[in-house]
Amino acid sequence: MSNQYYIRNSTNQKAPDDRLNLVNSKIMQAFPPSDSLRQSLKDTRGLTDEQIDMFIASPINAASVVEDVLAAGDIQANDLLGVPGIYLDKQSGTTGKGAIKFKTYTNTDCVIAVRNETGKVVALQARLKATDSGPRYLWYSSKGRPGGVTSGAPMGVVPGKRSRKDGQELRIAVCEGFFKAAAIARTLDVDYVVFCSGIQNTSPFSKLVHRLARRKPFSLLIVPDMDFLTNREVMKAYAKLTGEAMQLTRDVSVLAWPVRFGKGFDDMLAAGGLAHCRMRPAAKFRDALYNEAARLGSPTLMDYIENCFD
């Protein structure tokens, strides 16, 4: 079957969330997780079947993805444009026939659905197989190509396991990366976990938290990666995020654990460090970050971490 379609408009504008969700969901459905991928994620990452069904797909086949999505129905060729990853291979002006293609990656381990506060799939992320160098996660994006758009690196939301009673405040955690968010969601007593692709990509944070809270009272729990102890840029980014969180609500805490249990929350869980975690007010964490990043002296970050476990 040819993938030449009549395209009414190919302006490089990102599609609205409803259409992003429609197309991205069709892509996820076309490439469901294999039995071996499902078992691997359960064994190595601790994901539940529910989390896998909601967030994980098998690697996307670039040669067939457009045909697979259109064959599923409920969508027209023109609806694909404006979805990150989709682009026109050939284009004549802004109308005419073009080969609709999807920019994908080789060496992909799995695909992660990034869902917003209402559960819509607003972006897709590729997790690459382990290599000695290079990034492990890449956004599906077609920025710079005809009809293509950027993902925008949105923050995602994973539902938590908490059963909140009427009148109780919402508990929202924030971390780096989907797999850590999934681990927090099934382990800690929170309503939602907000995750970013990197601690320096948190620009949507405040708006996303407000949309989640919907004017209800809420608390925030920051679950940092422990590399903030050695990376000055990460220190600054966490200081910025913590300060922003403290402007949203007075109830902001930080979860800390001894560094020997690993960098991320998921590493710490695998190392048996959950019982050693401590929750502390965010103000001291922020001050220690700023002081250390500026080399202003006491209290240092290591002092802060060690004092958590006195």
Side-chain angles (χ1 to χ4, degrees):
M1 186 184 297
S2 170
N3 69 344
Q4 296 285 327
Y5 299 98
Y6 182 79
I7 304 301
R8 293 190 301 273
N9 193 336
S10 58
T11 57
N12 295 62
Q13 294 183 351
K14 193 172 182 180
D17 285 354
D18 284 343
R19 184 144 55 89
L20 292 176
N21 179 62
L22 176 62
V23 175
N24 287 328
S25 295
K26 295 289 186 184
I27 293 173
M28 298 285 289
Q29 291 164 15
F31 300 93
S34 64
D35 291 342
S36 59
L37 175 59
R38 180 181 294 272
Q39 194 60 51
S40 174
L41 290 173
K42 292 168 73 172
D43 292 342
T44 63
R45 290 289 185 167
L47 264 63
T48 64
D49 282 316
E50 183 180 10
Q51 288 178 328
I52 293 171
D53 291 337
M54 188 173 186
F55 290 100
I56 301 296
S58 291
I60 296 170
N61 184 341
S64 68
V65 60
V66 172
E67 301 294 347
D68 291 339
V69 168
L70 292 176
D74 303 326
I75 195 167
Q76 302 298 316
N78 204 73
D79 295 329
L80 298 176
L81 294 180
V83 175
I86 297 286
Y87 67 97
L88 283 177
D89 189 38
K90 294 181 179 179
Q91 184 180 8
S92 176
T94 57
T95 60
K97 284 190 175 181
I100 304 176
K101 293 193 174 182
F102 186 83
K103 181 184 175 184
T104 189
Y105 304 100
T106 58
N107 201 37
T108 303
D109 181 47
C110 67
V111 176
I112 299 168
V114 178
R115 295 180 179 271
N116 67 8
E117 73 281 357
T118 62
K120 294 175 181 174
V121 185
V122 293
L124 298 176
Q125 198 174 39
R127 181 178 186 266
L128 306 185
K129 295 177 182 177
T131 60
D132 293 335
S133 62
R136 191 72 191 274
Y137 297 89
L138 292 172
W139 291 102
Y140 285 100
S141 171
S142 44
K143 181 181 179 181
R145 302 199 176 196
V149 295
T150 178
S151 69
M155 296 184 74
V157 179
V158 178
K161 69 171 187 175
R162 184 184 183 216
S163 298
R164 186 173 59 89
K165 297 178 181 178
D166 290 342
Q168 288 185 315
E169 69 174 15
L170 286 170
R171 294 177 184 168
I172 303 171
V174 58
C175 70
E176 293 182 63
F178 163 74
F179 286 106
K180 293 162 193 168
I184 294 168
R186 63 178 181 270
T187 305
L188 302 183
D189 191 29
V190 296
D191 296 288
Y192 302 102
V193 186
V194 172
F195 68 93
C196 57
S197 58
I199 192 57
Q200 294 174 331
N201 295 323
T202 60
S203 57
F205 174 66
S206 293
K207 290 182 179 179
L208 180 56
V209 168
H210 278 304
R211 291 197 300 267
L212 274 174
R214 289 177 292 182
R215 304 196 177 193
K216 297 184 180 69
F218 62 92
S219 62
L220 289 170
L221 174 64
I222 297 172
V223 185
D225 275 9
M226 300 302 282
D227 60 347
F228 70 77
L229 289 167
T230 56
N231 187 316
R232 203 159 297 280
E233 292 307 311
V234 173
M235 289 180 200
K236 294 176 183 177
Y238 270 115
K240 179 177 179 294
L241 176 67
T242 306
E244 188 175 349
M246 292 171 63
Q247 291 180 351
L248 298 175
T249 175
R250 294 181 179 179
D251 192 353
V252 184
S253 301
V254 175
L255 192 71
W257 56 86
V259 181
R260 68 179 183 275
F261 288 107
K263 170 188 168 185
F265 185 88
D266 49 350
D267 301 321
M268 178 273 296
L269 273 186
L274 186 60
H276 299 274
C277 289
R278 298 292 184 270
M279 195 179 298
R280 293 292 183 261
K284 290 184 178 180
F285 175 70
R286 178 202 57 186
D287 293 344
L289 284 166
Y290 275 125
N291 288 341
E292 185 76 8
R295 295 191 179 277
L296 295 178
S298 183
T300 67
L301 280 176
M302 286 308 299
D303 289 338
Y304 172 84
I305 292 298
E306 290 171 3
N307 289 338
C308 282
F309 308 105
D310 290 345

